[in-house]
Amino acid sequence: MAVYIVMEVQVINQKKYNQYMSEFSNIITNYGGRCLADEGNIKHLDQEIRLERRQPERMVILEFPCEVSLRKCLASPEYRSLSELRLAGASTRTRMIQGYKPKKV
């Protein structure tokens, strides 16, 4: 089952963030991943919901074919070598969400 990574991003250093995303994009494809969204133009649809003080500058959504592929990617030497660049480029909150599997009735 597909899994999705949803990241809230606050860019600290645009140059380092761009370098990280460029290299990261190449790595995730090796593990069957792909970037579905990487955008800073966020629109809030539910006006009645009280928003948190921290508003993300960008949202990134990634898709992997399964959790095993995602875990292999994150544990890979090539990804681990990018960790300092990621920390220098952005502050992030990252979550994994399982894909939807309809229940049989």
Side-chain angles (χ1 to χ4, degrees):
M1 176 187 311
V3 294
Y4 300 88
I5 298 298
V6 179
M7 296 179 1
E8 296 177 4
V9 179
Q10 294 294 120
V11 176
I12 297 168
N13 181 309
Q14 190 67 54
K15 183 178 177 183
K16 289 181 180 183
Y17 176 76
N18 291 346
Q19 184 182 354
Y20 165 76
M21 284 304 291
S22 174
E23 292 182 36
F24 181 55
S25 295
N26 293 331
I27 292 169
I28 67 171
T29 58
N30 294 335
Y31 295 89
R34 64 186 182 127
C35 185
L36 299 179
D38 177 12
E39 185 56 57
N41 188 15
I42 301 166
K43 300 206 182 337
H44 298 282
L45 301 177
D46 295 321
Q47 298 301 322
E48 68 275 3
I49 294 177
R50 183 182 162 134
L51 300 175
E52 295 179 33
R53 285 187 197 175
R54 177 191 160 150
Q55 294 299 310
E57 189 177 309
R58 305 181 72 87
M59 295 290 291
V60 177
I61 302 173
L62 306 174
E63 177 185 49
F64 283 84
C66 63
E67 187 173 348
V68 171
S69 296
L70 166 65
R71 300 276 181 198
K72 285 182 180 179
C73 178
L74 297 179
S76 70
E78 60 266 32
Y79 178 74
R80 292 166 81 66
S81 70
L82 287 180
S83 63
E84 286 186 32
L85 191 58
R86 179 180 58 83
L87 294 171
S91 170
T92 62
R93 274 202 254 183
T94 305
R95 296 167 181 88
M96 182 188 79
I97 302 170
Q98 293 284 336
Y100 176 72
K101 184 177 179 182
K103 295 180 181 177
K104 296 180 182 180
V105 272

